mmCIF file of all heavy atoms in Angstrom:
data_model
loop_
_atom_site.group_PDB
_atom_site.id
_atom_site.type_symbol
_atom_site.label_atom_id
_atom_site.label_comp_id
_atom_site.label_asym_id
_atom_site.label_seq_id
_atom_site.Cartn_x
_atom_site.Cartn_y
_atom_site.Cartn_z
ATOM 1 N N ARG A 19 -11.807 15.567 0.189
ATOM 2 C CA ARG A 19 -12.792 14.521 -0.078
ATOM 3 C C ARG A 19 -13.969 14.756 0.861
ATOM 4 O O ARG A 19 -13.856 14.554 2.071
ATOM 5 C CB ARG A 19 -12.208 13.130 0.150
ATOM 6 C CG ARG A 19 -13.224 11.975 0.028
ATOM 7 C CD ARG A 19 -13.819 11.894 -1.372
ATOM 8 N NE ARG A 19 -14.527 10.643 -1.625
ATOM 9 C CZ ARG A 19 -15.859 10.509 -1.621
ATOM 10 N NH1 ARG A 19 -16.640 11.554 -1.365
ATOM 11 N NH2 ARG A 19 -16.396 9.318 -1.877
ATOM 12 N N TYR A 21 -17.734 13.795 1.976
ATOM 13 C CA TYR A 21 -18.696 12.687 1.884
ATOM 14 C C TYR A 21 -20.107 13.254 1.915
ATOM 15 O O TYR A 21 -20.337 14.327 2.478
ATOM 16 C CB TYR A 21 -18.493 11.718 3.052
ATOM 17 C CG TYR A 21 -17.212 10.918 2.972
ATOM 18 C CD1 TYR A 21 -16.207 11.091 3.920
ATOM 19 C CD2 TYR A 21 -17.013 9.988 1.961
ATOM 20 C CE1 TYR A 21 -15.033 10.349 3.870
ATOM 21 C CE2 TYR A 21 -15.839 9.247 1.899
ATOM 22 C CZ TYR A 21 -14.856 9.426 2.850
ATOM 23 O OH TYR A 21 -13.704 8.702 2.788
ATOM 24 N N PRO A 22 -21.047 12.514 1.353
ATOM 25 C CA PRO A 22 -22.443 12.938 1.438
ATOM 26 C C PRO A 22 -22.819 13.101 2.915
ATOM 27 O O PRO A 22 -22.365 12.325 3.750
ATOM 28 C CB PRO A 22 -23.213 11.776 0.808
ATOM 29 C CG PRO A 22 -22.219 11.028 -0.016
ATOM 30 C CD PRO A 22 -20.881 11.243 0.628
ATOM 31 N N GLY A 23 -23.592 14.096 3.204
ATOM 32 C CA GLY A 23 -23.977 14.320 4.594
ATOM 33 C C GLY A 23 -23.110 15.372 5.261
ATOM 34 O O GLY A 23 -23.253 15.635 6.454
ATOM 35 N N VAL A 25 -19.799 15.439 5.805
ATOM 36 C CA VAL A 25 -18.552 15.073 6.492
ATOM 37 C C VAL A 25 -17.377 15.278 5.539
ATOM 38 O O VAL A 25 -17.435 14.889 4.376
ATOM 39 C CB VAL A 25 -18.581 13.600 6.959
ATOM 40 C CG1 VAL A 25 -17.269 13.216 7.617
ATOM 41 C CG2 VAL A 25 -19.742 13.373 7.901
ATOM 42 N N THR A 26 -16.329 15.937 6.038
ATOM 43 C CA THR A 26 -15.131 16.117 5.229
ATOM 44 C C THR A 26 -14.078 15.101 5.666
ATOM 45 O O THR A 26 -13.517 15.202 6.745
ATOM 46 C CB THR A 26 -14.580 17.554 5.392
ATOM 47 O OG1 THR A 26 -15.628 18.464 5.069
ATOM 48 C CG2 THR A 26 -13.406 17.796 4.470
ATOM 49 N N GLY A 27 -13.841 14.114 4.826
ATOM 50 C CA GLY A 27 -12.864 13.068 5.147
ATOM 51 C C GLY A 27 -11.441 13.580 5.048
ATOM 52 O O GLY A 27 -10.584 13.262 5.870
ATOM 53 N N LEU A 28 -11.190 14.386 4.004
ATOM 54 C CA LEU A 28 -9.878 15.017 3.803
ATOM 55 C C LEU A 28 -10.124 16.476 3.481
ATOM 56 O O LEU A 28 -11.014 16.806 2.694
ATOM 57 C CB LEU A 28 -9.135 14.388 2.623
ATOM 58 C CG LEU A 28 -8.324 13.125 2.806
ATOM 59 C CD1 LEU A 28 -7.602 12.786 1.504
ATOM 60 C CD2 LEU A 28 -7.358 13.208 3.973
ATOM 61 N N GLY A 45 -2.787 8.632 13.272
ATOM 62 C CA GLY A 45 -3.816 9.588 13.665
ATOM 63 C C GLY A 45 -4.968 8.858 14.312
ATOM 64 O O GLY A 45 -5.147 7.655 14.104
ATOM 65 N N GLU A 46 -5.750 9.598 15.080
ATOM 66 C CA GLU A 46 -6.867 8.990 15.787
ATOM 67 C C GLU A 46 -7.908 8.472 14.803
ATOM 68 O O GLU A 46 -7.937 8.890 13.648
ATOM 69 C CB GLU A 46 -7.505 10.019 16.721
ATOM 70 C CG GLU A 46 -6.631 10.295 17.913
ATOM 71 C CD GLU A 46 -7.256 11.314 18.866
ATOM 72 O OE1 GLU A 46 -8.403 11.725 18.633
ATOM 73 O OE2 GLU A 46 -6.560 11.670 19.825
ATOM 74 N N SER A 47 -8.755 7.601 15.279
ATOM 75 C CA SER A 47 -9.857 7.088 14.480
ATOM 76 C C SER A 47 -10.699 8.257 13.976
ATOM 77 O O SER A 47 -10.995 9.172 14.739
ATOM 78 C CB SER A 47 -10.690 6.143 15.346
ATOM 79 O OG SER A 47 -11.674 5.550 14.566
ATOM 80 N N GLY A 48 -11.026 8.247 12.684
ATOM 81 C CA GLY A 48 -11.826 9.313 12.101
ATOM 82 C C GLY A 48 -11.017 10.505 11.617
ATOM 83 O O GLY A 48 -11.575 11.484 11.130
ATOM 84 N N SER A 49 -9.688 10.429 11.719
ATOM 85 C CA SER A 49 -8.855 11.576 11.341
ATOM 86 C C SER A 49 -8.611 11.682 9.839
ATOM 87 O O SER A 49 -8.085 12.684 9.359
ATOM 88 C CB SER A 49 -7.509 11.522 12.093
ATOM 89 O OG SER A 49 -6.804 10.351 11.756
ATOM 90 N N GLY A 50 -8.978 10.626 9.093
ATOM 91 C CA GLY A 50 -8.863 10.694 7.641
ATOM 92 C C GLY A 50 -7.808 9.781 7.032
ATOM 93 O O GLY A 50 -7.528 9.868 5.833
ATOM 94 N N LYS A 51 -7.257 8.866 7.820
ATOM 95 C CA LYS A 51 -6.192 7.986 7.322
ATOM 96 C C LYS A 51 -6.672 7.114 6.162
ATOM 97 O O LYS A 51 -6.008 7.028 5.129
ATOM 98 C CB LYS A 51 -5.664 7.089 8.454
ATOM 99 C CG LYS A 51 -5.128 7.832 9.656
ATOM 100 C CD LYS A 51 -4.611 6.886 10.714
ATOM 101 C CE LYS A 51 -5.637 5.928 11.275
ATOM 102 N NZ LYS A 51 -6.751 6.561 12.021
ATOM 103 N N SER A 52 -7.810 6.461 6.370
ATOM 104 C CA SER A 52 -8.302 5.571 5.311
ATOM 105 C C SER A 52 -8.697 6.366 4.081
ATOM 106 O O SER A 52 -8.444 5.939 2.942
ATOM 107 C CB SER A 52 -9.501 4.745 5.800
ATOM 108 O OG SER A 52 -9.080 3.840 6.795
ATOM 109 N N THR A 53 -9.300 7.519 4.296
ATOM 110 C CA THR A 53 -9.680 8.356 3.151
ATOM 111 C C THR A 53 -8.434 8.758 2.366
ATOM 112 O O THR A 53 -8.419 8.695 1.130
ATOM 113 C CB THR A 53 -10.440 9.611 3.637
ATOM 114 O OG1 THR A 53 -11.553 9.203 4.434
ATOM 115 C CG2 THR A 53 -10.934 10.434 2.466
ATOM 116 N N LEU A 54 -7.386 9.129 3.077
ATOM 117 C CA LEU A 54 -6.132 9.489 2.411
ATOM 118 C C LEU A 54 -5.605 8.312 1.601
ATOM 119 O O LEU A 54 -5.218 8.456 0.431
ATOM 120 C CB LEU A 54 -5.094 9.933 3.463
ATOM 121 C CG LEU A 54 -3.692 10.255 2.949
ATOM 122 C CD1 LEU A 54 -3.729 11.420 1.974
ATOM 123 C CD2 LEU A 54 -2.746 10.574 4.102
ATOM 124 N N LEU A 55 -5.613 7.137 2.214
ATOM 125 C CA LEU A 55 -5.107 5.952 1.523
ATOM 126 C C LEU A 55 -5.961 5.617 0.288
ATOM 127 O O LEU A 55 -5.421 5.315 -0.775
ATOM 128 C CB LEU A 55 -5.098 4.787 2.522
ATOM 129 C CG LEU A 55 -4.282 3.584 2.128
ATOM 130 C CD1 LEU A 55 -3.420 3.135 3.288
ATOM 131 C CD2 LEU A 55 -5.190 2.453 1.710
ATOM 132 N N HIS A 56 -7.263 5.731 0.433
ATOM 133 C CA HIS A 56 -8.145 5.398 -0.695
ATOM 134 C C HIS A 56 -7.974 6.375 -1.856
ATOM 135 O O HIS A 56 -7.951 5.975 -3.017
ATOM 136 C CB HIS A 56 -9.606 5.378 -0.235
ATOM 137 C CG HIS A 56 -9.913 4.267 0.715
ATOM 138 N ND1 HIS A 56 -10.992 4.257 1.553
ATOM 139 C CD2 HIS A 56 -9.241 3.112 0.972
ATOM 140 C CE1 HIS A 56 -10.990 3.153 2.269
ATOM 141 N NE2 HIS A 56 -9.935 2.441 1.945
ATOM 142 N N ASP A 171 -2.457 -1.102 4.798
ATOM 143 C CA ASP A 171 -3.422 -0.596 5.771
ATOM 144 C C ASP A 171 -3.337 -1.448 7.033
ATOM 145 O O ASP A 171 -3.881 -2.538 7.083
ATOM 146 C CB ASP A 171 -4.832 -0.631 5.167
ATOM 147 C CG ASP A 171 -5.802 0.239 5.949
ATOM 148 O OD1 ASP A 171 -5.430 0.760 7.021
ATOM 149 O OD2 ASP A 171 -6.943 0.397 5.470
ATOM 150 N N VAL A 203 -0.459 2.767 6.773
ATOM 151 C CA VAL A 203 -1.282 3.267 7.880
ATOM 152 C C VAL A 203 -1.057 2.352 9.073
ATOM 153 O O VAL A 203 -1.093 1.122 8.942
ATOM 154 C CB VAL A 203 -2.779 3.267 7.499
ATOM 155 C CG1 VAL A 203 -3.646 3.553 8.729
ATOM 156 C CG2 VAL A 203 -3.051 4.301 6.417
ATOM 157 N N HIS A 205 -1.409 2.040 13.697
ATOM 158 C CA HIS A 205 -1.695 2.591 15.028
ATOM 159 C C HIS A 205 -0.513 2.375 15.957
ATOM 160 O O HIS A 205 -0.527 2.835 17.090
ATOM 161 C CB HIS A 205 -2.932 1.908 15.630
ATOM 162 C CG HIS A 205 -4.209 2.466 15.113
ATOM 163 N ND1 HIS A 205 -5.078 1.747 14.320
ATOM 164 C CD2 HIS A 205 -4.755 3.699 15.247
ATOM 165 C CE1 HIS A 205 -6.110 2.527 14.005
ATOM 166 N NE2 HIS A 205 -5.931 3.707 14.548
ATOM 167 N N MET A 219 -2.257 12.656 11.084
ATOM 168 C CA MET A 219 -3.522 13.222 10.611
ATOM 169 C C MET A 219 -4.384 13.640 11.790
ATOM 170 O O MET A 219 -4.403 12.983 12.823
ATOM 171 C CB MET A 219 -4.306 12.174 9.808
ATOM 172 C CG MET A 219 -3.609 11.598 8.607
ATOM 173 S SD MET A 219 -3.512 12.747 7.237
ATOM 174 C CE MET A 219 -5.245 13.101 6.948
ATOM 175 N N GLY A 222 -8.959 15.408 9.238
ATOM 176 C CA GLY A 222 -8.882 15.447 7.782
ATOM 177 C C GLY A 222 -7.708 16.234 7.237
ATOM 178 O O GLY A 222 -7.597 16.438 6.021
HETATM 179 P P1 LIG B 4 -9.621 6.954 9.804
HETATM 180 O O1 LIG B 4 -9.233 5.954 8.788
HETATM 181 O O2 LIG B 4 -8.515 7.839 10.233
HETATM 182 O O3 LIG B 4 -10.307 6.318 10.981
HETATM 183 P P2 LIG B 4 -11.562 7.812 7.817
HETATM 184 O O4 LIG B 4 -10.781 8.293 6.674
HETATM 185 O O5 LIG B 4 -12.169 6.454 7.719
HETATM 186 O O6 LIG B 4 -10.705 7.948 9.153
HETATM 187 O O7 LIG B 4 -12.767 8.825 8.094
HETATM 188 C C1 LIG B 4 -12.603 10.240 8.137
HETATM 189 C C2 LIG B 4 -13.955 10.868 8.349
HETATM 190 O O8 LIG B 4 -14.781 10.642 7.215
HETATM 191 C C3 LIG B 4 -14.725 10.302 9.552
HETATM 192 O O9 LIG B 4 -15.463 11.341 10.119
HETATM 193 C C4 LIG B 4 -15.622 9.270 8.916
HETATM 194 O O10 LIG B 4 -16.782 9.083 9.689
HETATM 195 C C5 LIG B 4 -15.937 9.913 7.577
HETATM 196 N N1 LIG B 4 -16.203 8.913 6.529
HETATM 197 C C6 LIG B 4 -15.357 7.970 6.079
HETATM 198 N N2 LIG B 4 -15.897 7.243 5.082
HETATM 199 C C7 LIG B 4 -17.140 7.762 4.893
HETATM 200 C C8 LIG B 4 -18.217 7.464 4.003
HETATM 201 N N3 LIG B 4 -18.116 6.491 3.089
HETATM 202 N N4 LIG B 4 -19.352 8.196 4.089
HETATM 203 C C9 LIG B 4 -19.466 9.204 4.987
HETATM 204 N N5 LIG B 4 -18.489 9.530 5.855
HETATM 205 C C10 LIG B 4 -17.347 8.840 5.821
#
Side-chain angles (χ1 to χ4, degrees):
R19 174 62 166 103
Y21 290 115
V25 178
T26 305
L28 276 185
E46 287 180 5
S47 185
S49 61
K51 302 181 299 296
S52 293
T53 305
L54 176 62
L55 196 133
H56 293 160
D171 197 353
V203 170
H205 279 113
M219 302 287 301

